[in-house]
Amino acid sequence: MKYNLETLLKGKILVLDGAMGTAIQKLHLGEEAFSGGCFCHRSQKGNNDILNITHPEVIKGIHQSYLQAGADIIETNTFNGNRISQADYALEHKVYDLNYHGAKLAREAADEYTQIDQAKPRFVAGSIGPTNKTASLSPDVENPGLRNITFDELREAYEEQIEGLVDGGVDALFIETIFDSLNARAAIIAADNVLIRKSVNLPIMISGTITDKSGRILTGQTLEAFAESLKHDRVLSVGLNCAFGPRDLVPFIKELARTQGLYISFHPNAGLPNSLGEYDETPEEMAACVKELAVEGHLNIVGGCCGTTTDHIQAIHEAVRDVKPRKIPRLEKVTVFCGLEIIKVNKENNFINIGERLNVAGSAKFARLIREKKYEEALSIAKEQVENGAQIIDVNFDDGLLDAEKEMDTFLKLIAGEPEIARVPVMIDSSNFKVLETGLKAIQGKAIVNSISLKAGEKEFIEQAAIIKQYGAGVVVMAFDEQGQADTLDRRIEICQRAYRILVDTVKFPAENIIFDPNILAIATGIEEHNNYAVDYIKATKWIKENLHYAKVSGGISNLSFAFRGNNVIREAMHSVFLYHAINAGMDMGI
Ligand code: THG
C-alpha cells in the first residue's frame, strides 16, 4: 500500500527531522572527505550537498538517526542543490546528480524504517533552499532597480533541482527558509512545470523565515502577504523555519494557524547561535514550547532547523505523539491581493480605489517622465498616489514610442525598493500579454493582471489564464469576445458568464481571483445608443455579483464622462452619481 502524506496529516501531528548542516559540521570532515578526491576544480569543503555522492553512508546515517528518533518526514540533503548556489563550488553541472542521489538516499532510509514498522510510514521531503540570490532586492544601494538574478534563471535552476528530486523518489517538495516570495514563486512554478511534464502529483510544502520580531520576511512582506503570495493548488502546508528559537516564533505560528487554510509546519532553530556559533536551546525547552503550541491546536508538522539534534527530535516526538493535530479551519473564500501587505476586497473595505496616474496612455506627465527616463520623479507620482489613498496601483506602459516590456520590468523593480509604494498590490495593465507576463516576473506580491478577454477566442483565453493562475495572480476580464465589446446588458451578461465558466470549470482558476470589467463606456456623447451605457453597466454588475459567485467587479470610471473632458465639475458630479449606484449594485473597485 502507498501511504499518503495528506491522509496521515488528518490523523496526527507529523514529526520532521532536525538539522542536517549542523549534524555534518560535527563530523569535522576535511576537504578530502567532501570532494572524495574527484571531479572538482574548486575546494568542496563546506559543500554539504556533494556528500550525497562522495559519502552517501554519512548522509544516510544522519537520516537513519532522525528516523530512529521518531521523525515521520526526513528532508533530503539538498538545501543548496541548485546551480546558483553550486556556482560557489563550480559544480553547476552536478546539480541533477546531487538531488537525484540525495533523494534516493533519503528514500532508502525512510523505506527501511517503514518496513520495520508499517504502522508508522516514513516520508521524504525534497529540501529546496532559497538560493544565495534574491529576485526582489538590489545588490547595490546606488542602483535600486538592479538584480543579480532573473526570475527565469531562478525558475530554470529550480526545475533542474526538482527533476533530480522527483526522479530520486521524494514524496513532497519542501520550499523552505523563504525570505523572498518571488524566489519561492519561481520554485513553485518550476515544481508545477516538472510535475506536469512527468505526470506526477506531489504536494508542495512552503516554509518562510523571518529576520526580526516585526514578523516580516527579509524582503519586507508581512506573514499574511507572504502566505497569500504563494497560494497554489499544489501547496499542502505553510509554516516557518530557521530564524530565532521557538519561543519568539510562537505568535507568528499562531497568526498563520489562524489565517491560513493549509496545514501548518514549524521547524525552528535551537535558539540563536551564541558567540561560539553553538545553539543553546535544549531538547526539553524546545519540546515544552512545541507541546504548548500543539495542545492549543496550532500545529500539523513539527521538527527542527539549525542546531537541533536527534535528542531534540526525540523530545519533540514524545511531546506531540498523543496530541491531536490542528484541524484546518473552514475559512470564508475572500478576495485578497497584496504587495508587502494584504488588502481584502470585502464589505469592510467597501470600495477599493485603484490609482490611475501611472499610465503612459492616461497621463501626459507620466508618459513624458518615462520617455525621458526620469524614474525618480515617476516614482514620486506612485508615492503620491498611495499617500492620497490608492489601495492598488495600476501601471501601464503601452505606448508606441516605448519598449513596454522593458519599462514594465524597470518600473516594477524600482517600486519594489520603495516600501511606501510596494506596500500596496500592483495592477499590471497592458493590452500585450507579453508585457503582462513580464510584470508578473517582477513582483513578489499577489498582483492583478489587467486584462484578458475572449476577443481572440477561447484557446488564447485559456492559455493566458493558465499562466496567470500559475503565478497565483488575480485577473481582470473585460467583457469582450470574438464579436466585439459588450455594450448592452445581455451581451455583458453573456460574455461574463461564458468567461466565468471557462475560468472556473476548465482552467480551475480560483473564482475569488476573477475581476470582471463589464465596460464603463462614455455616456451623453450625443449618440442615442450610448445613453443607457451606465445603467446597463450597473445592472450587469448586480447580475455578476448575484450569479458569478466570488467574482468581483471593477471598471475605469473616468471613461463615463469622456464627452465632458475639460469640465471637471460635471465629470466629478457624474462620477459621484454613478459610483453611488454602482457600489450599491456591488461594484468592488475602480480605476
Ligand atoms: N478598464 C480596465 N483598465 C483600464 C481602463 C478600464 N485601464 C486604463 C483606463 N481604463 C483607466 N486608466 C485611466 C488613466 C487615466 C485617465 C483615465 C483612465 C484619465 N486621464 C486624464 C485624461 O485623459 O483626461 C488625464 C490626462 C493627463 O493627465 O494627461 O482620465 O476602463 N480594466
Side-chain angles (χ1 to χ4, degrees):
M1 137 161 198
K2 180 89 177 122
Y3 303 98
N4 182 306
L5 194 56
E6 197 165 356
T7 316
L8 238 68
L9 276 167
K10 292 198 178 102
K12 67 180 236 172
I13 295 175
L14 296 185
V15 177
L16 270 172
D17 58 6
M20 177 57 77
T22 38
I24 293 172
Q25 245 169 35
K26 276 194 200 134
L27 302 173
H28 299 290
L29 304 175
E31 174 65 41
E32 194 63 4
F34 275 97
S35 69
C38 67
F39 66 74
C40 311
H41 309 296
R42 213 173 285 175
S43 165
Q44 298 299 318
K45 198 168 169 195
N47 187 7
N48 290 343
D49 300 34
I50 199 183
L51 294 169
N52 296 338
I53 298 174
T54 54
H55 281 285
E57 77 292 348
V58 169
I59 302 304
K60 193 167 171 185
I62 295 171
H63 287 322
Q64 287 162 329
S65 68
Y66 282 123
L67 291 160
Q68 190 62 38
D72 299 287
I73 307 172
I74 54 171
E75 286 195 61
T76 56
N77 176 39
T78 55
F79 186 78
N80 292 307
N82 62 78
R83 64 170 49 236
I84 299 159
S85 303
Q86 285 298 319
D88 289 353
Y89 299 99
L91 224 61
E92 294 97 321
H93 58 294
K94 284 285 171 190
V95 163
Y96 176 87
D97 295 345
L98 297 179
N99 286 284
Y100 176 77
H101 290 288
K104 253 201 137 41
L105 281 176
R107 177 82 274 152
E108 284 166 19
D111 289 349
E112 282 168 20
Y113 274 78
T114 303
Q115 276 303 318
I116 296 168
D117 180 1
Q118 301 202 8
K120 186 175 164 74
R122 314 291 183 121
F123 298 93
V124 176
S127 171
I128 299 167
T131 82
N132 54 12
K133 294 193 173 158
T134 155
S136 294
L137 299 174
S138 170
D140 176 4
V141 281
E142 299 296 317
N143 188 355
L146 189 71
R147 300 292 184 269
N148 57 14
I149 192 85
T150 68
F151 184 87
D152 284 326
E153 284 166 349
L154 276 165
R155 183 189 44 72
E156 282 163 22
Y158 279 128
E159 283 190 19
E160 188 177 28
Q161 172 171 31
I162 292 166
E163 290 263 350
L165 291 172
V166 174
D167 289 349
V170 298
D171 300 297
L173 297 164
F174 203 168
I175 302 168
E176 57 172 328
T177 326
I178 298 166
F179 58 78
D180 179 345
S181 295
L182 193 52
N183 283 40
R185 186 175 301 116
I188 291 174
I189 294 180
D192 197 38
N193 288 344
V194 171
L195 295 172
I196 290 169
R197 276 205 295 275
K198 294 185 183 294
S199 299
V200 183
N201 194 8
L202 295 180
I204 296 173
M205 301 161 72
I206 294 289
S207 179
T209 193
I210 56 180
T211 27
D212 59 53
K213 289 167 195 171
S214 69
R216 290 182 185 241
I217 64 171
L218 185 73
T219 51
Q221 273 191 321
T222 64
L223 270 191
E224 269 194 272
F226 147 77
E228 208 54 57
S229 299
L230 299 176
K231 288 227 159 108
H232 188 281
D233 290 351
R234 296 189 191 271
V235 173
L236 176 70
S237 66
V238 63
L240 292 174
N241 72 289
C242 211
F244 15 89
R247 278 283 159 210
D248 292 331
L249 287 169
V250 163
F252 304 117
I253 285 293
K254 287 185 180 174
E255 182 185 339
L256 284 177
R258 180 171 48 80
T259 57
Q260 301 304 312
L262 296 166
Y263 291 107
I264 298 295
S265 74
F266 186 35
H267 62 298
N269 285 357
L272 279 171
N274 63 25
S275 53
L276 299 171
E278 285 154 359
Y279 295 84
D280 296 327
E281 184 109 0
T282 66
E284 294 70 32
E285 286 165 340
M286 207 157 155
C289 175
V290 162
K291 178 147 192 164
E292 263 176 56
L293 266 174
V295 168
E296 288 177 28
H298 304 296
L299 290 182
N300 302 101
I301 302 164
V302 63
C305 199
C306 308
T308 56
T309 64
T310 50
D311 290 343
H312 290 85
I313 297 309
Q314 191 161 358
I316 288 171
H317 173 233
E318 269 152 33
V320 302
R321 71 190 308 166
D322 298 318
V323 184
K324 284 216 160 56
R326 163 178 169 276
K327 263 216 170 84
I328 294 186
R330 272 188 191 281
L331 300 173
E332 213 192 330
K333 235 187 239 188
V334 266
T335 300
V336 183
F337 300 108
C338 69
L340 299 180
E341 295 165 15
I342 64 161
I343 178 155
K344 292 184 178 170
V345 184
N346 61 8
K347 288 243 158 55
E348 281 103 85
N349 280 326
N350 191 27
F351 182 78
I352 295 190
N353 298 298
I354 305 169
E356 85 292 357
R357 306 250 55 100
L358 309 170
N359 182 340
V360 295
S363 162
K365 183 178 174 192
F366 188 70
R368 178 178 56 79
L369 292 175
I370 297 300
R371 265 188 234 120
E372 294 173 3
K373 306 218 172 293
K374 293 192 172 146
Y375 293 112
E376 256 180 57
E377 264 187 84
L379 277 175
S380 71
I381 297 182
K383 215 171 285 178
E384 216 174 273
Q385 286 263 278
V386 177
E387 273 165 15
N388 292 338
Q391 292 150 295
I392 295 175
I393 47 175
D394 182 88
V395 291
N396 182 314
F397 298 94
D398 287 353
D399 179 314
L401 295 174
L402 292 174
D403 179 346
E405 261 190 80
K406 191 162 156 287
E407 297 300 347
M408 184 63 84
D409 181 61
T410 302
F411 197 69
L412 292 179
K413 282 175 177 166
L414 287 170
I415 285 180
E418 304 278 342
E420 302 99 313
I421 307 170
R423 191 160 71 69
V424 304
V426 175
M427 181 175 264
I428 312 162
D429 189 345
S430 176
S431 54
N432 177 349
F433 192 75
K434 276 280 215 230
V435 176
L436 297 172
E437 201 177 352
T438 298
L440 287 172
K441 292 177 186 183
I443 299 178
Q444 75 165 331
K446 178 176 174 183
I448 303 165
V449 165
N450 180 17
S451 59
I452 63 171
S453 79
L454 285 159
K455 192 187 296 190
E458 286 189 12
K459 184 167 174 282
E460 186 180 287
F461 182 71
I462 290 170
E463 283 165 8
Q464 294 177 343
I467 292 171
I468 298 166
K469 182 192 166 200
Q470 246 198 344
Y471 285 86
V475 68
V476 175
V477 179
M478 298 300 301
F480 212 119
D481 69 4
E482 299 89 334
Q483 268 88 58
Q485 190 175 38
D487 59 359
T488 63
L489 175 60
D490 286 349
R491 285 273 295 149
R492 284 176 166 96
I493 290 176
E494 176 202 335
I495 297 174
C496 293
Q497 178 161 40
R498 178 173 164 221
Y500 183 86
R501 292 269 53 106
I502 295 171
L503 288 172
V504 173
D505 301 339
T506 308
V507 184
K508 312 277 180 229
F509 203 95
E512 69 275 19
N513 288 350
I514 303 170
I515 301 166
F516 284 106
D517 184 333
N519 304 325
I520 299 179
L521 303 171
I523 57 166
T525 58
I527 299 171
E528 178 138 4
E529 293 86 79
H530 297 179
N531 287 350
N532 224 36
Y533 279 172
V535 172
D536 284 348
Y537 173 93
I538 292 166
K539 285 184 177 161
T541 297
K542 190 163 158 53
W543 185 90
I544 291 166
K545 295 302 292 287
E546 281 169 1
N547 294 281
L548 307 181
H549 296 150
Y550 305 109
K552 300 292 176 284
V553 173
S554 178
I557 296 152
S558 51
N559 303 355
L560 182 79
S561 59
F562 252 44
F564 299 88
R565 283 176 109 169
N567 191 339
N568 279 342
V569 176
I570 298 259
R571 292 191 74 172
E572 280 161 26
M574 287 171 75
H575 298 166
S576 300
V577 175
F578 175 80
L579 281 175
Y580 175 81
H581 292 287
I583 294 170
N584 256 335
M587 187 183 183
D588 300 284
M589 53 181 90
I591 310 177

